[in-house]
Amino acid sequence: MEFVQDPATLRQKLHEIRRQGKSIGFVPTMGFLHEGHLSLIRAARAQNDFVVISIFVNPLQFGEGEDYEDYPRDLESDSRLAAAAGCDLIFSPAVRDFYPPGYATFVEVQGSITEGLCGTARPGHFRGVTTVLVKLFNLVAPEHTYFGQKDAQQCLVVKKMLEDLDYNLQFHIMPTVREADGLAMSSRNKYLTPRQRAAAPVLFQSLQQAESLIRGGERDVASLKDAMRNLIASVPETEIDYIEIVDTNELKPVEQVRGSCLIALAVRIGSTRLIDNIILEV
Ligand code: AMP
C-alpha cells in the first residue's frame, strides 16, 4: 500500500493506474479508522481494481468552537487497518497543500437538504464537506465512491451535488456499522468517558423505540418525538440537539409518518456530539 501526501504526486500515480485500464474506488475519510470505515474500504475492494482512501481532517467543515484541533488522529494505526481491508493507496494531504494561501473557491448545495438537521446546528458544515469532496473527486477521479448511512444527511447532500454537477460517478451508501450494544461506530466515540459510553447506546435505543411504535401503528410525529425525548432525557449527561422525522428526498419535517422517512437525531453526551439515524418505509 502506498501513502501519498502531495496532490500532484497523487494525480500522477492515478493517471498511470487509469492508463492501465484499472477502475478506481474511493473512500473519503477523516481517519481514526474503525469498522464503519473499513466496511466502506472492503466494499470498494470488492468492486474496483484499485482502492484509494483519503485521510484528511478538513478544517472547512468544522465550525468555531468545534473539535477540529482535538479530532483524533492516528495515521500509523490507520495505515495498518486500511491495508488489511484492501486499500491500495492512502492520500493524506497537509492542509497548506490542499488549501494553499489564497484559496477562494467553495461549493454549496442550497435548500432544505442542507438547512435542517445538522445544517441548523452546524452552519457552514456541509459547504465545507462539499468543497473538500469536489476537490478530492477531481484529484482522484474515481468510478465508484462509498459513504456510510450513519451520515445520512451528508449522503443526500453529496448525491445531490453529484447530480447537479453532472459527475459521472457511482455513489454507494453502505449500512451503519454498530457496536454490539447498538452504538453507531464513530471516531468521536473515543471522547466518551466510561460513564458516557454507557449512556451512548440510548441514541439507537430511541430510534428502535420509534420504529417499534411506528410498526405498532403510531403515525403522529409529535408523539414519536416525545417518546424519544423522554427516553433520552432519562439517561444522565445527555442533551438533545435535535430529533427530527423528515422525508428522505428533501429532508423536510413531516407531521405524519408515511412513505419513506428518515428519523435522525443528534445528542450531546457531555461535550461530545453524536448522531444516528434510521430510514423506514411505511
Ligand atoms: P468520517 O471519517 O467520520 O468523515 O467518515 C468517513 C466515511 O465513513 C463517511 O462516509 C461516513 O458516513 C462513514 N462512516 C462513519 N462511521 C460509520 C459507521 N459507523 N458505519 C458506516 N459508515 C460509517
Side-chain angles (χ1 to χ4, degrees):
M1 189 186 68
E2 289 190 77
F3 188 90
V4 176
Q5 281 187 296
D6 173 42
T9 308
L10 178 78
R11 258 192 208 287
Q12 211 178 6
K13 284 194 185 288
L14 294 183
H15 177 74
E16 178 55 25
I17 295 296
R18 264 187 301 275
R19 211 188 50 79
Q20 295 167 11
K22 292 182 175 169
S23 64
I24 297 174
F26 177 47
V27 180
T29 84
M30 297 205 299
F32 209 68
L33 302 182
H34 51 67
E35 275 300 317
H37 298 115
L38 301 181
S39 72
L40 308 185
I41 298 174
R42 290 189 197 108
R45 175 75 283 158
Q47 288 183 314
N48 301 274
D49 301 319
F50 196 83
V51 175
V52 178
I53 79 163
S54 58
I55 296 181
F56 182 59
V57 184
N58 173 32
L60 283 189
Q61 70 190 71
F62 289 78
E64 223 171 283
E66 291 188 353
D67 56 344
Y68 174 67
E69 301 291 342
D70 296 337
Y71 197 86
R73 294 157 167 93
D74 187 345
L75 278 178
E76 232 174 79
S77 156
D78 285 352
S79 299
R80 241 180 302 114
L81 292 169
C87 173
D88 294 306
L89 187 152
I90 293 179
F91 175 54
S92 188
V95 173
R96 66 181 173 282
D97 294 333
F98 201 76
Y99 300 121
Y103 184 84
T105 303
F106 300 87
V107 175
E108 186 174 346
V109 174
Q110 298 186 336
S112 55
I113 64 170
T114 52
E115 283 163 7
L117 310 177
C118 288
T120 310
R122 306 185 70 190
H125 168 68
F126 289 114
R127 181 181 189 251
V129 169
T130 41
T131 298
V132 75
L133 287 174
V134 158
K135 282 174 67 67
L136 288 169
F137 289 150
N138 286 343
L139 280 167
V140 177
E143 272 80 42
H144 296 266
T145 189
Y146 302 81
F147 284 70
Q149 196 207 307
K150 198 210 130 217
D151 299 276
Q153 187 174 15
Q154 170 171 279
C155 287
L156 271 162
V157 171
V158 176
K159 195 158 162 270
K160 179 78 177 128
M161 178 190 80
L162 294 174
E163 281 165 15
D164 285 356
L165 297 184
D166 306 306
Y167 270 88
N168 185 15
L169 173 51
Q170 301 279 320
F171 182 73
H172 303 267
I173 302 177
M174 307 307 292
T176 302
V177 178
R178 302 180 178 281
E179 302 285 358
D181 60 10
L183 174 63
M185 290 193 184
S186 163
S187 306
R188 290 192 168 97
N189 292 349
K190 177 187 165 31
Y191 298 142
L192 302 171
T193 65
R195 194 176 131 93
Q196 292 168 346
R197 174 65 187 80
V202 77
L203 275 81
F204 187 51
Q205 284 159 10
S206 74
L207 292 166
Q208 286 180 305
Q209 181 197 42
E211 175 168 10
S212 88
L213 288 169
I214 292 167
R215 300 275 175 238
E218 180 65 81
R219 294 289 180 271
D220 181 56
V221 165
S223 311
L224 290 162
K225 282 163 70 170
D226 271 350
M228 292 175 72
R229 211 174 282 124
N230 290 338
L231 179 63
I232 294 167
S234 71
V235 173
E237 293 201 57
T238 58
E239 190 196 326
I240 295 166
D241 179 349
Y242 68 79
I243 297 174
E244 295 289 356
I245 303 185
V246 297
D247 77 82
T248 50
N249 288 321
E250 296 183 81
L251 301 186
K252 287 191 175 150
V254 295
E255 285 178 12
Q256 294 288 311
V257 176
R258 86 167 70 85
S260 172
C261 69
L262 170 73
I263 312 181
L265 76 170
V267 176
R268 256 174 223 290
I269 305 201
S271 57
T272 303
R273 184 173 178 280
L274 299 179
I275 59 171
D276 202 350
N277 70 83
I278 54 173
I279 291 174
L280 287 184
E281 302 289 335
V282 179

